[in-house]
Amino acid sequence: MSHGPGFRAEGRLGRQMAVLAGLALASALVSNALAGPTRHLAWRVPPPPPPRPAAPAPALPPSVEAIPTPAPAVAPPKAAPKPTGPAPVKAAPARTAALQDRYPAPGDGAPIEIEDAEARALHQAGALFLDARRTAVFEAGHIAGARALPYWEDGLDAKLQALADATFDLKDPVVIYCSGGDCRDSHLLAERMWPFGFRNLRIFKGGWPAWQGMKGPSAQGPEAPR
């Protein structure tokens, strides 16, 4: 296989460059051998230096703005301790004391029957009178100042509880009446009042007819407001 003149020229140029490179290398080796230790050329590339540790991040300066300090919570004032002793006993009104002195409660607290004269005296002294008849009969006519507590109508226990709560002393004399004669409503009402603590109950035997007969103070219409 034959080559052209261009190819042969390129071959000669390559050989010439290789010879020149070899002469340059030989010259460098001779110069390095004759030079001092400090001027020797390093034939190997030195390894890179080890990585430095990362520098710590600079501390941030404290904030210039002052953080407000919350005010301490103020505890509410303590309530004064309540007395632990027994509650003071209220003095009984003079009228109540006088009524109990004149008409003391029976020893066993059981209801007792009274006659016309005692009923009138108790009314004049201001004792409480209770009418055990139905509301319509009460409004037709009743002893003046009496309260309506019909035994046969609804809500009796609630009325008795309210009466017990409002009564200063359950040993005050209370007069109960109905239609007299064979009427037993006053006795039944007295028995119903016993569990509520009433202990000085007096049943007016003659009732409304006897009161009319002795022309005692009377009234008509609904119970007077209190």
Side-chain angles (χ1 to χ4, degrees), residues 47-53:
R52 294 181 181 179

Side-chain angles (χ1 to χ4, degrees), residues 52-79:
R52 294 181 181 179
L60 296 177
S63 176
V64 178
E65 297 182 359
I67 300 176
T69 303
V74 179
K78 295 182 179 180

Side-chain angles (χ1 to χ4, degrees), residues 6-103:
F7 181 80
R8 288 194 293 268
E10 289 179 0
R12 285 196 300 271
L13 180 60
R15 288 193 295 272
Q16 291 175 1
M17 291 181 66
V19 171
L20 290 176
L23 291 175
L25 178 60
S27 177
L29 290 173
V30 173
S31 297
N32 189 47
L34 297 176
T38 58
R39 298 183 62 185
H40 283 178
L41 296 178
W43 296 105
R44 295 181 180 178
V45 179
R52 294 181 181 179
L60 296 177
S63 176
V64 178
E65 297 182 359
I67 300 176
T69 303
V74 179
K78 295 182 179 180
K82 295 182 179 181
T84 56
V89 179
K90 294 186 296 183
R95 184 186 65 82
T96 298
L99 277 173
Q100 291 187 13
D101 288 343
R102 292 174 58 184
Y103 306 98

Side-chain angles (χ1 to χ4, degrees), residues 2 11 19 47 62 81 108 110 121 127 140 157 171 185 198 209 219 225:
S2 62
V19 171
D108 57 0
D157 285 345
K171 291 184 178 181
D185 292 354
F198 292 93

Side-chain angles (χ1 to χ4, degrees), residues 1 6 13 22 40 42 57 79 81 97-98 110 119 130 137 158 190 200 211 213 219:
M1 179 178 179
L13 180 60
H40 283 178
L130 300 179
V137 180
N200 195 352
W211 190 261

Side-chain angles (χ1 to χ4, degrees), residues 12-210:
R12 285 196 300 271
L13 180 60
R15 288 193 295 272
Q16 291 175 1
M17 291 181 66
V19 171
L20 290 176
L23 291 175
L25 178 60
S27 177
L29 290 173
V30 173
S31 297
N32 189 47
L34 297 176
T38 58
R39 298 183 62 185
H40 283 178
L41 296 178
W43 296 105
R44 295 181 180 178
V45 179
R52 294 181 181 179
L60 296 177
S63 176
V64 178
E65 297 182 359
I67 300 176
T69 303
V74 179
K78 295 182 179 180
K82 295 182 179 181
T84 56
V89 179
K90 294 186 296 183
R95 184 186 65 82
T96 298
L99 277 173
Q100 291 187 13
D101 288 343
R102 292 174 58 184
Y103 306 98
D108 57 0
I112 59 176
E113 292 183 341
I114 60 174
E115 301 294 339
D116 299 0
E118 187 173 354
R120 190 178 189 100
L122 281 164
H123 188 270
Q124 293 175 347
L128 175 63
F129 275 62
L130 300 179
D131 193 322
R133 301 174 301 164
R134 294 185 179 275
T135 301
V137 180
F138 173 88
E139 293 180 355
H142 56 268
I143 296 176
R147 299 186 62 171
L149 278 179
Y151 181 80
W152 296 107
E153 294 183 10
D154 295 337
L156 178 59
D157 285 345
K159 294 178 182 179
L160 290 176
Q161 184 62 61
L163 180 63
D165 294 340
T167 302
F168 178 82
D169 192 337
L170 296 178
K171 291 184 178 181
D172 288 348
V174 177
V175 180
I176 307 172
Y177 72 94
C178 57
S179 297
D182 296 333
C183 178
R184 301 290 300 170
D185 292 354
S186 55
H187 291 80
L188 295 174
L189 180 59
E191 294 175 2
R192 192 76 165 267
M193 294 176 68
W194 173 268
F196 291 88
F198 292 93
R199 293 296 182 268
N200 195 352
L201 300 176
R202 297 165 185 261
I203 299 172
F204 178 20
K205 289 172 54 178
W208 171 243

